[in-house]
Structures are given as C-alpha cells and as structure tokens.
Amino acid sequence: AQKITQTQPGMFVQEKEAVTLDCTYDTSDPSYGLFWYKQPSSGEMIFLIYQGSYDQQNATEGRYSLNFQKARKSANLVISASQLGDSAMYFCAMREFSGSARQLTFGSGTQLTVLP
Amino acid sequence: EAGVTQFPSHSVIEKGQTVTLRCDPISGHDNLYWYRRVMGKEIKFLLHFVKESKQDESGMPNNRFLAERTGGTYSTLKVQPAELEDSGVYFCASSQGLGGAGSYNEQFFGPGTRLTVL
C-alpha cells in the first residue's frame, strides 16, 4: 500500500533563507508521481510541483525545487529565498499510475512559518 | 476559467442531522474526487467519479455517506445522519484526465467545506 511520511509537523525559516521540507514515500508501483501542495490559512490547496518516477531530472518551478532521491524514496521540497507569503501548510502527495486508481495519498503536512 | 467551487464554505449541524455538500468541478473535467481531512490527520481519499460513474469509492467510511454526480457535472456528498467524527474539511478536486507516467493530469482542488458536527 502506498504511504507518505512527513516527519516535520512544523518548521521555521528566516525570510530570504532556503528551507527543505522532508517527504518520504513507500510504494511497490514502479510508475508513480509525487506532488507538493500548499495550503495557506485561507484553506485552498495550491499545486506547487510534480515529479514523475521516471523523470531523470529533479523538477523545478520558480523558487520551488524537488530533491528526488528515488533509491531512498524521498522527495523533499526546497523553497529558496523564503517569503512571508510562503507561510502555510505544505502537503506531499503521491499517485500510483499502474492500476486504475488515481487518487492522491497525502502526508500529514508540515506547517511552515517564515519569520521576518 | 473558473476553478473548482464548493458550497457551503462552512456548515455547523447537530449530530443526527443531514448535510449535503456540493462541488462544481472545472468545466470539461471528467474526473472528480472527494477527500476529507479530519482535524489533525491526513487528507484522506473518499471517492472518484469519472463522468457520472463511481470509479472508486474505496475511501467512503460507511453507508452514512452518499455521493452522486448526476449528468457528470456537479457532485453532491450527503452525510446522513451526521456523527461527531464526521467533522472536518471536505475537499473536492477535479482533473481533465486520469494521468499516467507521461502526463500527471494535475488535480485542481476547491477551497473545501468545513463541517462541524455538534
């Protein structure tokens, strides 16, 4: 069964510094995708970045990058040059692609606070 | 393009009452998902529609929950009768395709409905 683990319930980072949010996963499916979502206090879930299991390079989207280490089954999110608006809950999620199921499995989330 | 919308944004009901949550997906999205986050826990999958058909309802907690998607457009999730443990945030998401190794077909989430059962 697929599983996502986020071991950091809360993280603090100074504005303009970089921060890494940890995510490890477990799956027996060779074809899967990893997602990061941001949930600000307003409640909506905002898609940030995606990494496919067959992607050769780490995904990047602006200030977000994903440190994908397939052998270690980790997909850490790196936010560079943190901004106050980055304060939010961050969820790591996974989808398996081999079967018919397409739902996301989420981790418990990391609450990031950016300090001025 | 309008995003996924959910109604109501908040609902407070008493134990034993019935509540119906509504989700309007992005126009043209055949796939509609329901998730919920009970306080302090992970976001959990409830079910997946492809058009009007239930593709996967393995996450539905019990028969007090009934989801419909008549006509393949909007969806409703009814909880009857509501229990205290049903409190949480119910998210709806939609995607155009199912996704695969080559195209992930991002799921777009609505803002959620916060349900409080007293």
Side-chain angles (χ1 to χ4, degrees):
Chain A
Q2 52 183 315
K3 183 177 173 62
I4 295 285
T5 302
Q6 294 180 254
T7 57
Q8 307 154 314
M11 288 281 286
F12 292 87
V13 64
Q14 208 68 39
E15 192 178 8
K16 301 180 184 176
E17 297 290 315
V19 63
T20 298
L21 307 184
D22 294 342
C23 173
T24 58
Y25 61 91
D26 189 24
T27 179
S28 57
D29 191 339
S31 180
Y32 56 89
L34 296 153
F35 301 75
W36 278 91
Y37 284 85
K38 172 184 178 181
Q39 187 185 37
S41 57
S42 51
E44 73 271 29
M45 296 278 283
I46 302 168
F47 166 73
L48 295 178
I49 195 167
Y50 168 81
Q51 180 84 44
S53 58
Y54 295 120
D55 293 343
Q56 296 297 311
Q57 294 188 325
N58 287 346
T60 61
E61 288 287 347
R63 294 186 298 109
Y64 304 107
S65 61
L66 204 152
N67 183 2
F68 182 47
Q69 298 188 45
K70 193 171 182 177
R72 299 176 67 176
K73 293 190 173 180
S74 74
N76 299 339
L77 177 70
V78 180
I79 305 174
S80 62
S82 297
Q83 301 172 356
L84 295 178
D86 294 334
S87 293
M89 180 72 83
Y90 289 80
F91 292 99
C92 179
M94 179 172 67
R95 289 170 76 182
E96 295 175 336
F97 291 131
S98 292
S100 60
R102 286 294 183 268
Q103 69 267 27
L104 290 163
T105 297
F106 285 87
S108 54
T110 296
Q111 180 70 47
L112 177 67
T113 303
V114 181
L115 303 170
Chain B
E1 178 182 309
V4 177
T5 58
Q6 292 187 245
F7 181 83
S9 56
H10 292 85
S11 181
V12 181
I13 61 172
E14 293 189 350
K15 176 183 172 181
Q17 290 186 319
T18 297
V19 63
T20 300
L21 314 181
R22 174 172 169 143
C23 168
D24 286 78
I26 293 172
S27 177
H29 281 193
D30 288 341
N31 295 275
L32 188 150
Y33 305 81
W34 283 98
Y35 296 86
R36 76 171 178 178
R37 186 180 189 209
V38 173
M39 186 61 69
K41 298 193 175 180
E42 292 91 348
I43 300 169
K44 293 285 193 184
F45 166 76
L46 295 177
L47 88 159
H48 170 205
F49 284 100
V50 178
K51 297 184 180 178
E52 66 274 9
S53 299
K54 292 177 184 175
Q55 173 76 14
D56 182 353
E57 51 184 331
S58 61
M60 294 288 263
N62 52 61
N63 58 10
R64 295 185 294 104
F65 289 75
L66 175 64
E68 294 180 325
R69 193 183 181 195
T70 307
T73 54
Y74 71 91
S75 174
T76 58
L77 179 65
K78 181 192 287 189
V79 185
Q80 179 182 30
E83 299 289 345
L84 299 178
E85 64 264 25
D86 301 332
S87 295
V89 180
Y90 289 76
F91 291 101
C92 174
S94 72
S95 69
Q96 192 164 37
L98 289 174
S103 62
Y104 56 88
N105 270 278
E106 172 195 347
Q107 291 182 19
F108 294 85
F109 279 76
T113 293
R114 183 174 295 277
L115 174 64
T116 302
V117 182
L118 303 176

